[in-house]
Amino acid sequence: MKIFLEERRRRPRALWRLLLQLVMFALLAALLTSLFAAAWFVLGPQVRLEPGDAGRLASSPELFLLSTLASLAATLLSLWLAGRYLDRRPFRDFGFCIDRGWWLDFAFGMLLGALLMTGIFLVQLALGWVEVVGTFRSGLPGVPFRTAILLPLAIFVCVGIYEEALSRGYQLRNMAEGLNHPALGPRGAIAAAWVLSSLFFGLLHFANPNATVLSTINVSLAGILLGAGYVLTGQLAIPIGLHITWNFFQGAVYGFPVSGLQSAGASFLQIEQSGPRIWTGGPFGPEAGLFDPVAVLVGCLLIALWVRLRHGKVDLLKELAEGPAGRV
């Protein structure tokens, strides 16, 4: 039993907590996606299926939104269950101690994501590698732009919340706890967990369309950027805000592919891209190009500056590597 349970707190060890939470998330996501899709087919507009329409429906923006909502619900529910029955900690300890300061950090994260992606777009525009060929494009037949743009907004908000809650709020924290041994110490454990969770985050995107080795490395670096706000503050406000606007401005504002996927619904700009793929990222989007590491470096420096201004110091938050003292 020592292999499975911590002796002092009588709860599963960090590795088992990580595995069990992933299993809960996968099962809940599959169940909720099926339920949401069934409800949409029953209660939504009646669609007459023709031969060959199954593939079209499976990739429809509506079902993509439903699967994203299901993933968000599965994440929040699995984190609550894991916190209660595995971690023995309240949900807020996963980065959701929401107060006025949390929302201030969230606003900074949103501004930072928009600025970083705008910088990537303007550099490519100045180099002649991007040409704007249209504006206010609606990708939904018969749906005006002002309505269609709500679809990518909803998707990117959901993705920003659930990916950060999983990758940073749960995985990084539990990895840091599990690695917190005298040889590393709390700060060393957090740094190692920061890197390992970012590598896992990058590998998860390797299955995306048009993924490359460089895109996987860059998405891992993006995990470092997204994790910076969490390891310095212990809250998910900066990572969630940054993730939402990074994706939204990338796909729905400037018309780039987002991790190999075209933005569903609408985009403010419609572009044609040229230039060397190693810099632009080609069909995967900017995250597969060499501008991405530059944006990551700038973003990390700005996050450190913001934390210094807000809290007076920049240091890894040792509490992330500690267990829920007094909560059994």
Side-chain angles (χ1 to χ4, degrees):
M1 291 297 289
K2 291 182 179 180
I3 297 176
F4 183 76
L5 290 176
E6 294 178 351
E7 291 185 26
R8 186 163 65 91
R9 296 190 179 89
R10 303 299 296 174
R11 61 174 185 163
R13 294 187 179 276
L15 177 60
W16 292 108
R17 296 198 302 270
L18 287 164
L19 292 174
L20 290 170
Q21 190 276 330
L22 277 177
V23 170
M24 281 194 293
F25 165 74
L27 293 175
L28 286 168
L31 175 62
L32 293 174
T33 298
S34 299
L35 290 175
F36 288 0
W40 180 73
F41 278 114
V42 172
L43 303 175
Q46 297 300 310
V47 179
R48 183 173 180 179
L49 292 178
E50 301 292 340
D53 281 352
R56 177 181 59 83
L57 282 176
S59 60
S60 67
E62 294 87 353
L63 286 182
F64 186 44
L65 174 60
L66 289 176
S67 69
T68 306
L69 289 170
S71 294
L72 174 61
T75 296
L76 299 180
L77 182 55
S78 66
L79 257 64
W80 181 82
L81 289 170
R84 184 174 179 84
Y85 297 107
L86 301 178
D87 292 65
R88 309 293 178 87
R89 67 170 77 248
F91 182 84
R92 64 177 179 271
D93 280 8
F94 296 120
F96 292 100
C97 293
I98 299 176
D99 54 15
R100 186 171 176 270
W102 195 97
W103 288 111
L104 184 61
D105 284 346
F106 176 74
F108 166 75
M110 292 189 71
L111 177 62
L112 180 60
L115 288 174
L116 293 176
M117 190 50 60
T118 297
I120 290 175
F121 172 78
L122 290 177
V123 169
Q124 293 197 39
L125 187 67
L127 292 171
W129 294 347
V130 166
E131 180 184 359
V132 178
V133 296
T135 56
F136 303 107
R137 177 192 66 85
S138 173
L140 302 177
V143 179
F145 172 82
R146 64 180 179 274
T147 304
I149 196 64
L150 297 177
L151 178 63
L153 177 61
I155 289 172
F156 291 137
V157 168
C158 291
V159 169
I161 296 172
Y162 84 72
E163 286 194 356
E164 291 313 303
L166 281 175
S167 297
R168 259 59 66 178
Y170 195 82
Q171 292 172 3
L172 195 159
R173 176 150 209 167
N174 273 278
M175 288 181 186
E177 267 195 63
L179 293 169
N180 188 10
H181 296 290
L184 285 176
R187 289 186 178 86
I190 293 169
W194 187 9
V195 172
L196 288 173
S197 62
S198 298
L199 290 173
F200 185 62
F201 183 69
L203 289 173
L204 287 178
H205 290 75
F206 187 67
N208 285 25
N210 304 303
T212 63
V213 173
L214 181 57
S215 74
T216 304
I217 294 172
N218 282 352
V219 174
S220 299
L221 292 176
I224 295 291
L225 171 63
L226 291 164
Y230 184 62
V231 298
L232 296 178
T233 68
Q235 300 301 317
L236 289 175
I238 294 175
I240 289 175
L242 171 58
H243 201 144
I244 290 171
T245 52
W246 174 280
N247 282 348
F248 183 76
F249 273 73
Q250 184 174 195
V253 175
Y254 297 126
F256 290 120
V258 180
S259 299
L261 302 170
Q262 289 296 329
S263 178
S267 62
F268 284 87
L269 301 181
Q270 186 175 1
I271 64 171
E272 288 184 358
Q273 195 168 29
S274 58
R277 179 170 175 170
I278 193 171
W279 284 98
T280 66
F284 190 86
E287 291 155 341
L290 292 179
F291 289 122
D292 183 85
V294 178
V296 166
L297 177 60
V298 173
C300 287
L301 292 174
L302 291 175
I303 289 173
L305 177 60
W306 172 260
V307 172
R308 176 63 183 269
L309 292 174
R310 284 264 290 124
H311 303 284
K313 65 175 183 177
V314 178
D315 194 8
L316 299 179
L317 198 68
K318 292 192 295 182
E319 288 83 352
L320 290 177
E322 298 172 356
R327 301 192 189 101
V328 178

